[in-house]
Amino acid sequence: MAEQTVRYFHRQPTVFLNKKKLLSGKGKKNLRYVRSVGLGFKTPREAIEGTYIDKKCPFTGNVSIRGRILSGVVLKMKMQRTIVIRRDYLHYIRKYNRFEKRHKNMSVHLSPCFRDKTEVGDIVTVGECRPLSKTVRYNVIKVTKGSGQKKGFVKF
Amino acid sequence: MGISRDKWHKRRKTGGRMAQMRKKRKFELGRPPSNTKLGTKRIHTVRTRGGNKKYRALRLDIGNFAWGSEAVTRRTRMIDVVYNASNNELVRTKTLVKSCIVQIDATPFRQWYEAHYAVGLGRKKGVKLSEAEESILNKKRSKKTQKKYTERQKTGQVEKALEEEFSTGRVLAKICSRPGQCGRCDGYILEGKELDFYLRKLKTKKGK
């Protein structure tokens, strides 16, 4: 079921599927490469037990999380394996001694292990990784449920 | 140079155009693809950044292929390009690229297997063996060496799909090197789930 969507044999490149013991039919469970992201983030069960192949997933793929860790609110989930999050912040104007609200949208990669768990409005923790595409440099490493319908400005 | 790999010709994330800041630079250069074909070896070398070399293979016919489950690698001739996931045109023109599926000559692997396990591989039942092959397969051995071979034969079973390929003399393999960059065409023999996947793809293509 993992390789059905593409025209080549979709596999994790670090897993050798053809060891003799497996070929003769005696093999046990599915070989899968899973790693921990570090910094105290738990790798989700879906990543360990799932069968998806995603080379940009921080838990089962070839990206390392290093550098900044940010958070944001999920805005849109229309892209394949990547979402748009919104980060709000306050900018200080010195002349008036007051703040103004600003926001930035960011495209971040969403691993298939989080796909069913996130909805628009959830708060998401993202970690910096190497550039994954033209605009994506961050990867979702944790999802916490949003507070429902409360719209408005949330500072992080 | 015509092909360049710059970023400033693309639009921004917001959709706005980027004003041209500078002319094309040499470090942004790109070169035309090599499209290495199946044929007698022809390799051109390219001088790259820093004075280093890239070997642009224009025609190749021999590659170093690995048999993963047995951990043996042999140099064999490539016979035919059979499948390419990206582009069927590349199959038609017999272009060698990374991750295309080729048929390779199976004899070096069969020779190794029969010498290592003293069991025939992909041989038709009932066909009389020539004298040279007889001497390898059914050699008179001392008890000690015979024990060695029987011990090996315990783990020597080859999966059915692969054995069928050996009987035809052509084995499916996947190219893992980049011929236009390193000038070599190396890869590994398809086995297990991967072999099933590609055999199915080939069958549907032939059936169409």
Side-chain angles (χ1 to χ4, degrees):
Chain A
M1 30 13 298
E3 46 265 16
Q4 73 198 151
T5 47
V6 280
R7 295 188 57 197
Y8 52 89
F9 184 74
H10 217 9
R11 55 185 279 240
Q12 286 186 311
T14 44
V15 170
F16 180 52
L17 301 162
N18 295 325
K19 255 166 99 107
K20 278 258 263 276
K21 265 211 321 241
L22 279 183
L23 284 186
S24 61
K26 221 166 41 121
K28 1 175 282 210
K29 59 184 189 118
N30 281 329
L31 290 176
R32 191 166 175 78
Y33 166 70
V34 187
R35 64 210 285 261
S36 65
V37 150
L39 304 162
F41 290 102
K42 292 187 69 55
T43 96
R45 227 187 62 220
E46 175 63 31
I48 306 172
E49 298 169 359
T51 55
Y52 66 86
I53 312 252
D54 185 12
K55 65 180 181 185
K56 299 180 182 176
C57 169
F59 308 107
T60 61
N62 190 19
V63 292
S64 64
I65 303 293
R66 75 283 183 283
R68 295 181 192 258
I69 313 284
L70 308 171
S71 41
V73 194
V74 176
L75 206 55
K76 294 193 268 193
M77 294 179 51
K78 296 255 165 78
M79 289 189 275
Q80 286 177 350
R81 289 184 172 173
T82 143
I83 58 173
V84 177
I85 67 171
R86 177 193 169 109
R87 302 189 62 242
D88 296 301
Y89 58 97
L90 292 170
H91 180 241
Y92 184 63
I93 311 289
R94 201 170 61 167
K95 177 178 178 189
Y96 297 104
N97 296 339
R98 278 149 230 248
F99 293 90
E100 64 177 7
K101 290 185 193 170
R102 288 190 181 186
H103 81 275
K104 283 269 192 336
N105 284 1
M106 212 156 72
S107 296
V108 304
H109 185 267
L110 184 74
S111 168
C113 64
F114 291 121
R115 191 187 30 196
D116 300 320
K117 306 211 189 81
T118 55
E119 287 164 355
V120 173
D122 288 350
I123 299 182
V124 126
T125 307
V126 293
E128 185 184 354
C129 52
R130 64 172 157 88
L132 303 176
S133 80
K134 179 175 172 202
T135 53
V136 175
R137 281 102 176 90
Y138 284 82
N139 216 322
V140 171
I141 44 184
K142 189 166 80 167
V143 177
T144 65
K145 272 277 155 235
S147 57
Q149 287 83 356
K150 219 171 44 173
K151 215 178 85 142
F153 187 85
V154 188
K155 181 172 176 13
F156 292 103
Chain B
M1 65 214 95
I3 309 175
S4 73
R5 296 161 35 244
D6 52 59
K7 300 272 176 70
W8 39 261
H9 73 277
K10 294 194 70 109
R11 288 182 186 252
R12 297 171 199 273
K13 178 177 180 179
T14 55
R17 301 200 127 222
M18 282 209 254
Q20 182 172 2
M21 171 195 11
R22 59 186 191 215
K23 293 183 169 187
K24 290 188 187 177
R25 294 277 191 267
K26 167 126 186 331
F27 54 78
E28 291 164 335
L29 75 76
R31 295 190 190 88
S34 63
N35 294 329
T36 70
K37 302 278 192 284
L38 211 50
T40 38
K41 179 168 79 168
R42 185 185 286 187
I43 300 180
H44 288 180
T45 93
V46 173
R47 184 203 178 271
T48 57
R49 190 161 172 84
N52 307 313
K53 282 199 193 152
K54 277 190 187 178
Y55 299 95
R56 193 124 298 165
L58 302 172
R59 291 187 198 168
L60 284 178
D61 55 353
I62 298 186
N64 205 22
F65 288 92
W67 189 357
S69 59
E70 307 281 348
V72 199
T73 321
R74 288 287 178 271
R75 219 168 143 66
T76 36
R77 205 170 44 96
M78 291 179 290
I79 302 175
D80 194 16
V81 177
V82 155
Y83 183 76
N84 187 312
S86 340
N87 195 351
N88 288 326
E89 182 79 23
L90 297 175
V91 177
R92 217 150 33 93
T93 51
K94 300 208 191 305
T95 306
L96 297 169
V97 280
K98 179 177 171 192
S99 186
C100 72
I101 311 295
V102 289
Q103 276 182 336
I104 61 172
D105 180 21
T107 44
F109 293 100
R110 167 198 276 183
Q111 283 169 352
W112 172 84
Y113 183 91
E114 294 181 345
H116 188 255
Y117 289 104
V119 171
L121 181 60
R123 294 200 180 272
K124 291 200 183 56
K125 289 225 176 79
V127 170
K128 278 235 348 213
L129 305 169
S130 76
E131 208 193 279
E133 298 166 348
E134 271 266 8
S135 66
I136 301 173
L137 284 181
N138 301 332
K139 193 157 70 162
K140 187 100 177 9
R141 295 189 180 95
S142 67
K143 270 231 294 260
K144 201 166 68 153
T145 54
Q146 184 60 40
K147 207 163 88 123
K148 178 171 82 167
Y149 281 100
T150 42
E151 218 16 78
R152 280 185 189 169
Q153 280 164 14
K154 288 195 189 134
T155 53
Q157 256 310 339
V158 173
E159 62 160 342
K160 199 160 94 54
L162 202 54
E163 187 151 5
E164 282 170 11
E165 285 190 335
F166 270 103
S167 64
T168 63
R170 297 171 168 215
V171 172
L172 285 179
K174 177 177 181 175
I175 309 280
C176 274
S177 65
R178 303 172 70 189
Q181 306 281 314
C182 62
R184 291 161 198 256
C185 211
D186 306 329
Y188 61 89
I189 294 184
L190 294 175
E191 294 178 280
K193 287 219 189 98
E194 217 168 339
L195 180 59
D196 296 335
F197 177 83
Y198 284 113
L199 283 178
R200 221 178 325 132
K201 287 278 181 205
L202 290 177
K203 209 155 58 152
T204 49
K205 239 175 57 150
K206 229 186 331 191
K208 254 203 304 182

